[in-house]
Amino acid sequence: MTASAACPSFAGYRFPAEIISQAVWLYFRFPLSLRMVEEMLAFRGIVVSHETLRQWGRKFGQAFANGVRRRLPCAGDKWHVDEVVLKINGVTQWLWRAVDQAGMVLDVLVQSRRDKQAAKRLLRKLLKRQMRAPRVMITDKLASYGAAKKEVMPSVEHRQHKGLNNRAENSHQPTRRRERQMKRFKSGGQAQRFLSAHDGINNLFHFRRDHVTASEYRAARALAFEVWSDISGVTART
């Protein structure tokens, strides 16, 4: 095992790191329910309950996502920001998400409001994590974005046009698929925890398929698997 110094500890767990990391990868990488992952592992002769899988996701998901973030190159200088509604137990919540021009998710934030204060909270969170302001911020025509930007990063160019923000809107699609698979999120906190890990992990496997050859795509995928193996502390398969 060639574990990274930053990988989480598997000490005290009955199952080895390889099984735990694969289960976490399956759950966050693909639109699978916990019971589906349980059945896939059972096919391999690995008997583990869906509740144990849930605990593994909570324990290791965000840790792996943090490891991915440390390994990826700096985000682009063009931020696309958008928000979509989440219905959680009959209550309206708003999922705010920012992506760069390559489609890499910069951050997500679940909030109960869709106003200037909510937009300011997202922008401040982004600046703290990215440690620099973007060159351009692109949003739809929600007035809250312009009001928040004037206070948080007034010198940044702001383009407001619904047609320009398709990249951010498209980034919500995997969330919608997971929302359906999970039969909706149970709380705002659960949605925040899951999506923070989900989007962070999937950034590692965000491959361009257009204008690349099959060999280039496979090379990028192999490199992502190597990084994942190092982050999760599991020897990569060759």
Side-chain angles (χ1 to χ4, degrees), residues 114-147:
R114 187 179 179 237
D115 56 12
K116 172 184 169 183
Q117 290 303 117
K120 283 173 62 176
R121 186 182 176 200
L122 175 69
L123 295 183
R124 285 171 175 160
K125 190 169 187 275
L126 284 166
L127 288 174
K128 182 178 180 180
R129 171 161 288 187
Q130 300 302 321
M131 296 185 291
R132 65 186 177 98
R135 177 178 56 86
V136 179
M137 184 176 80
I138 299 175
T139 70
D140 58 24
K141 294 189 176 182
L142 179 68
S144 301
Y145 288 120

Side-chain angles (χ1 to χ4, degrees), residues 82 139-141 160-166 169:
D82 192 45
T139 70
D140 58 24
K141 294 189 176 182
Q160 288 184 282
H161 189 284
K162 187 172 180 60
L164 293 174
N165 213 29
N166 290 337
E169 293 172 359

Side-chain angles (χ1 to χ4, degrees), residues 1 8-24 41 44-48 52-53 56 60 64 232-235 237:
M1 180 179 297
S9 173
F10 296 92
Y13 284 84
R14 181 163 61 95
F15 291 91
E18 181 180 10
I19 291 174
I20 295 175
S21 65
Q22 184 180 35
V24 172
L41 294 177
R44 293 181 53 194
I46 303 166
V47 179
V48 57
T52 296
L53 294 173
W56 288 354
F60 297 102
F64 290 157
S232 61
V234 178
T235 303
R237 294 178 180 271

Side-chain angles (χ1 to χ4, degrees), residues 150-197:
K150 286 179 182 178
E151 293 189 17
V152 178
M153 42 189 193
S155 62
V156 171
E157 179 185 350
H158 185 198
R159 301 175 188 169
Q160 288 184 282
H161 189 284
K162 187 172 180 60
L164 293 174
N165 213 29
N166 290 337
R167 190 173 298 282
E169 293 172 359
N170 291 341
S171 73
H172 292 304
Q173 294 177 6
T175 297
R176 292 304 192 197
R177 288 194 291 269
R178 293 310 302 258
E179 189 181 23
R180 289 192 295 271
Q181 186 62 58
M182 299 167 73
K183 298 180 180 179
R184 295 189 179 274
F185 297 109
K186 306 303 184 291
S187 69
Q190 185 232 359
Q192 179 70 52
R193 287 191 302 271
F194 175 82
L195 293 172
S196 292

Side-chain angles (χ1 to χ4, degrees), residues 90-103:
V91 178
T92 298
Q93 301 272 351
W94 293 93
L95 169 63
W96 301 70
R97 175 182 275 113
V99 304
D100 70 6
Q101 61 263 46

Side-chain angles (χ1 to χ4, degrees), residues 103-116:
M104 304 293 281
V105 178
L106 306 177
D107 214 335
V108 295
L109 188 60
V110 178
Q111 304 188 83
S112 60
R113 299 162 63 179
R114 187 179 179 237
D115 56 12
K116 172 184 169 183

